[in-house]
Amino acid sequence: MGKKAVAKKTPTKQAKQPKATPKTAKTVKKVTKKKVLKKKHKVLKRKAPRVRLYQPGVFLGYKRSVRRQNTSIALLAIKGVNHKADTRFYMGKKCLYAFRATNKKRSARGGRFPHLKTDIRRMWGKIIATHGNSGVVRAKFKHNLPPQAMGSKIRVYLFPSHI
């Protein structure tokens, strides 16, 4: 009778797996370390919302006349203040211009922690008067604000309180 055709099994080529090089071994270790770190740290949920102790504002420029400007008095626009009557609350309040410098220096808490250094500088001032009828205020800073600060953010803190 006839012979049955028997299919011969040919060996299939297996995909070559890359050898574990030192670089790939390092990346695998890094990935596993990251996963472990994520598991260790738990995110704490806040019970109460954060409270902002300042009102944001913008440095508009200096007090000026047609031909001359007085750089010792800064004009600030406070968010949410649109009328002269609203500015009365902010009279005498402290204001802060914070900016990032190139070099790190000892922080404000440097007396107790001399090893702490920061590149953030602070300039403190005080609101002294209203300016016009649209809610702009005048502020005097310990050191005059630089012209580069025009248009930048200012924090108007809610202290000292007169309530």
Side-chain angles (χ1 to χ4, degrees), residues 7-113:
K8 291 184 180 180
K9 290 187 179 178
T10 57
T12 56
K13 292 183 179 178
Q14 294 179 352
K16 290 185 180 180
Q17 294 180 349
K19 294 180 182 178
T21 60
K23 285 184 181 178
T24 56
K26 284 181 184 176
T27 54
V28 170
K29 285 180 186 176
K30 284 182 185 177
V31 171
T32 54
K33 282 183 184 178
K34 284 182 184 177
K35 287 181 181 177
V36 171
L37 289 175
K38 284 182 183 176
K39 290 178 184 177
K40 283 184 183 177
H41 298 292
K42 291 183 180 179
V43 178
L44 298 175
K45 293 182 181 178
R46 289 190 179 277
K47 292 181 181 177
R50 283 188 170 177
V51 178
R52 189 179 71 209
L53 298 176
Y54 64 90
Q55 186 68 4
V58 178
F59 172 44
L60 300 176
Y62 302 111
K63 180 186 171 194
R64 56 173 297 152
S65 63
V66 176
R67 293 175 188 83
R68 193 173 89 64
Q69 70 180 6
N70 185 355
T71 56
S72 64
I73 297 175
L75 301 179
L76 307 178
I78 304 169
K79 184 180 178 183
V81 179
N82 299 320
H83 303 288
K84 192 173 188 173
D86 300 339
T87 61
R88 203 164 151 245
F89 171 78
Y90 292 98
M91 289 302 123
K93 300 282 191 276
K94 298 281 184 183
C95 45
L96 172 76
Y97 168 61
F99 60 99
R100 195 172 296 276
T102 52
N103 297 331
K104 288 191 173 191
K105 286 189 175 180
R106 249 182 38 206
S107 68
R109 301 174 68 190
R112 288 176 45 201
F113 306 99

Side-chain angles (χ1 to χ4, degrees), residues 38 111 122 131 156 161:
K38 284 182 183 176
R122 294 163 290 282
H131 184 82
V156 179
S161 179

Side-chain angles (χ1 to χ4, degrees), residues 127-143:
I127 294 177
I128 56 169
T130 61
H131 184 82
N133 296 318
S134 60
V136 176
V137 294
R138 298 178 191 174
K140 212 164 179 54
F141 283 79
K142 190 175 179 183
H143 299 285

